[in-house]
Amino acid sequence: MNITFPGITQEDMDYAVDCLEACKKENAEAFGFMHPYFAPGGHYGGQWWQLDSSLALAGYKWIDRKFAETALLNFIESQKEDGRICLWGKDVLPETAAGGDKLGQRHDASSLPKLFDVAYHILEGSSDISLKTAVYDMMKKYLQWWLLNRRDSKTGLITAVFEETFIPYLGCTGEYAPVDTNTEVYVGLHYTACLAEALGSEADAKELHSQKEQLKENINRYLWNEEKGAYYPLDIQSGQHVDCLMASTFFPLRLGIAPKDRQKKLVALLQDHAHFNWDTIPLTSVSKLDKLFTVTEGDYQGNASWSGNVWSLLNEMVIRGLSDCGEDALAAELAWKTVKAFNQNCAEFINPFDGSGHGVMQYAWTASQYLEIIIEIIFGIRYDAEGDTVTISPKLTKELRESSLSIKNLSLTEEKRLDVTIKNGKVSYLLF
């Protein structure tokens, strides 16, 4: 893959790929897995983590699609009988997490389920029906685990513990219903329904869509705070919102969860520099005006590092949400700001005031999402293997529209490559 891009060099792109290659674990058997996968990077060692190992595939599928498809088999093989996919390979959490936080629940924990989104978009570019069927069965079973084991009976919301949500909740299941986890399960219901339709399982698709609409209603009923004009986590026992304004408040922009009037309020809040640092290095993971706001440097410090630092995971989701609700100009702006912030800086998280990288300096999911945002958002490239079609719908800032940019020799399959050139906003391409 070769790139010509204002402010981004070929060496910058190669650096992100090299970061991913450094995190690749070919000796998967040593860690109890059958197929190669991505570890998080740095001092986290070679262990498999659900979130890291899935997010690393989001960008890497454009480098080696076969590897990405094969890596999905690890999620199938690691799935428990009840449908749960564990947080990490060891499956038992320590008593104390990073930053000295004590955990209330150490067993039967899963992870923020980005897997649904990642797996669907890998399968979208695959022509392997047996793989699609197997992964669909895994996704459906995993969804049912969330709905049976994490859903509150009164509100219908999904509750979460520890790294099933960020900021990680340190208590026990059934106590805390966060915005991010509920949105990700909604996204999971959506994409699993799309797979069901593609595989001809109309009854499944109908049921999944029904569950999706019910969850959407519950998110809007219980997580929206009309007075503050934002989405907040819910304390299940008290029925009150948790008073912390996180960047995940923008997640319900995804797939039209938030109604139009609320979208407008969220978009205004997003651009308020006083809250989420929009004019410089967005997004702070917690509002700068929130009492919890802090910036950590050096190694990952648990919850504190999710309370102000900038993370690619949060930005990518908000970019997608802006695009979903038709705010293409803002999606383009946040995409470009995110790419610049993480360029040659594929750190675990960054300081929102000076842009310095902290935590692990070659972090797999950051490198992956850097590539993903450039290829899928800024260039707007999407490949559908079933129809053998390529869609190119770039999201460009004014600066980029007035420039020339290209991406060449992009891998669609093992046999197919794509060149895309954008000059003064006009797209040309070559398939070969």
Side-chain angles (χ1 to χ4, degrees), residues 192-230:
T192 308
C194 290
L195 265 180
E197 291 167 349
L199 293 169
S201 300
E202 295 299 329
D204 280 359
K206 183 178 180 180
E207 176 61 23
L208 289 162
H209 279 304
S210 174
Q211 291 172 325
K212 182 183 79 169
E213 290 307 307
Q214 185 59 61
L215 182 56
K216 176 179 179 178
E217 181 180 325
N218 297 335
I219 290 170
N220 282 310
R221 179 178 179 185
Y222 293 107
L223 299 184
W224 177 256
N225 186 307
E226 183 62 34
E227 181 183 353
K228 297 180 178 179

Side-chain angles (χ1 to χ4, degrees), residues 261-370:
D261 60 328
R262 294 180 183 178
Q263 290 176 16
K264 292 180 181 178
K265 293 179 180 179
L266 291 173
V267 166
L269 177 63
L270 177 69
Q271 296 175 86
D272 185 343
H273 179 73
H275 276 288
F276 291 98
N277 220 39
W278 179 259
D279 295 335
T280 51
I281 305 175
L283 297 169
T284 55
S285 42
V286 164
S287 165
K288 293 187 292 184
L289 300 181
D290 197 283
K291 63 180 182 295
L292 203 62
F293 178 80
T294 187
V295 174
T296 66
E297 297 187 337
D299 287 344
Y300 176 66
Q301 296 170 41
N303 286 17
S305 293
W306 286 98
S307 302
N309 293 97
V310 177
W311 291 78
S312 66
L313 180 151
L314 299 173
N315 284 20
E316 184 271 342
M317 187 67 166
V318 178
I319 293 164
R320 297 280 186 186
L322 289 167
S323 181
D324 286 347
C325 68
E327 294 286 350
D328 288 348
L330 290 178
E333 185 175 353
L334 183 55
W336 185 216
K337 286 178 177 178
T338 302
V339 165
K340 289 190 290 186
F342 288 100
N343 189 49
Q344 279 280 356
N345 189 22
C346 296
E348 191 172 2
F349 51 91
I350 63 178
N351 184 308
F353 300 121
D354 64 19
S356 57
H358 297 277
V360 169
M361 298 309 294
Q362 290 189 312
Y363 200 56
W365 94 36
T366 303
S368 174
Q369 292 190 306
Y370 169 88

Side-chain angles (χ1 to χ4, degrees), residues 339-404:
V339 165
K340 289 190 290 186
F342 288 100
N343 189 49
Q344 279 280 356
N345 189 22
C346 296
E348 191 172 2
F349 51 91
I350 63 178
N351 184 308
F353 300 121
D354 64 19
S356 57
H358 297 277
V360 169
M361 298 309 294
Q362 290 189 312
Y363 200 56
W365 94 36
T366 303
S368 174
Q369 292 190 306
Y370 169 88
L371 295 170
E372 178 189 7
I373 291 168
I374 290 175
I375 296 168
E376 299 181 31
I377 303 295
I378 295 179
F379 278 94
I381 298 170
R382 180 178 175 185
Y383 176 62
D384 180 2
E386 184 177 355
D388 194 23
T389 56
V390 176
T391 303
I392 305 169
S393 180
K395 301 286 188 297
L396 304 174
T397 62
K398 183 177 184 294
E399 174 188 357
L400 293 178
R401 283 198 307 273
E402 295 173 351
S403 304
S404 295

Side-chain angles (χ1 to χ4, degrees), residues 21-311:
E21 297 292 354
C23 298
K24 188 186 289 185
K25 296 301 167 188
E26 299 283 2
N27 60 333
E29 294 86 354
F31 295 92
F33 288 86
M34 294 296 294
H35 307 281
Y37 61 87
F38 286 103
H43 62 259
Y44 292 112
Q47 189 59 257
W48 179 93
W49 293 69
Q50 183 197 152
L51 181 57
D52 301 78
S53 298
S54 58
L55 283 178
L57 300 175
Y60 197 72
K61 67 178 179 286
W62 298 105
I63 308 301
D64 186 342
R65 187 170 292 277
K66 186 63 177 176
F67 181 96
E69 292 181 11
T70 300
L72 289 177
L73 300 177
N74 288 318
F75 298 91
I76 296 171
E77 292 173 2
S78 64
Q79 190 165 39
K80 307 301 180 185
E81 193 63 34
D82 64 356
R84 181 175 65 92
I85 302 176
C86 62
L87 169 66
W88 66 330
K90 292 182 180 179
D91 201 27
V92 176
L93 306 182
E95 291 184 6
T96 304
D101 296 323
K102 299 286 185 180
L103 301 185
Q105 181 169 320
R106 300 177 55 225
H107 299 274
D108 299 328
S110 192
S111 180
L112 184 71
K114 299 293 295 186
L115 175 60
F116 296 117
D117 196 328
V118 173
Y120 176 81
H121 287 100
I122 292 172
L123 295 179
E124 186 179 43
S126 174
S127 55
D128 187 337
I129 298 300
S130 62
L131 176 68
K132 288 186 176 183
T133 302
V135 175
Y136 166 67
D137 289 341
M138 175 270 288
M139 290 168 64
K140 185 170 67 168
K141 192 175 178 183
Y142 189 33
L143 272 175
Q144 293 311 305
W145 178 83
W146 283 101
L147 296 173
L148 289 172
N149 293 276
R150 290 291 188 266
R151 184 163 54 182
D152 173 59
S153 59
K154 180 180 178 181
T155 64
L157 291 171
I158 304 299
T159 65
V161 297
F162 194 47
E163 291 196 2
E164 295 169 1
T165 179
F166 294 98
I167 303 168
Y169 177 68
L170 305 174
C172 297
T173 184
E175 299 174 344
Y176 176 80
V179 179
D180 58 351
T181 315
N182 277 274
T183 303
E184 295 292 357
V185 172
Y186 179 91
V187 169
L189 287 163
H190 174 80
Y191 284 130
T192 308
C194 290
L195 265 180
E197 291 167 349
L199 293 169
S201 300
E202 295 299 329
D204 280 359
K206 183 178 180 180
E207 176 61 23
L208 289 162
H209 279 304
S210 174
Q211 291 172 325
K212 182 183 79 169
E213 290 307 307
Q214 185 59 61
L215 182 56
K216 176 179 179 178
E217 181 180 325
N218 297 335
I219 290 170
N220 282 310
R221 179 178 179 185
Y222 293 107
L223 299 184
W224 177 256
N225 186 307
E226 183 62 34
E227 181 183 353
K228 297 180 178 179
Y231 290 92
Y232 287 81
L234 185 72
D235 181 298
I236 294 297
Q237 185 171 4
S238 68
Q240 301 298 310
H241 287 134
V242 176
D243 187 21
C244 182
L245 182 57
M246 308 176 199
S248 53
T249 193
F250 305 113
F251 280 22
L253 293 172
R254 281 299 317 262
L255 300 171
I257 296 173
K260 291 291 185 182
D261 60 328
R262 294 180 183 178
Q263 290 176 16
K264 292 180 181 178
K265 293 179 180 179
L266 291 173
V267 166
L269 177 63
L270 177 69
Q271 296 175 86
D272 185 343
H273 179 73
H275 276 288
F276 291 98
N277 220 39
W278 179 259
D279 295 335
T280 51
I281 305 175
L283 297 169
T284 55
S285 42
V286 164
S287 165
K288 293 187 292 184
L289 300 181
D290 197 283
K291 63 180 182 295
L292 203 62
F293 178 80
T294 187
V295 174
T296 66
E297 297 187 337
D299 287 344
Y300 176 66
Q301 296 170 41
N303 286 17
S305 293
W306 286 98
S307 302
N309 293 97
V310 177
W311 291 78

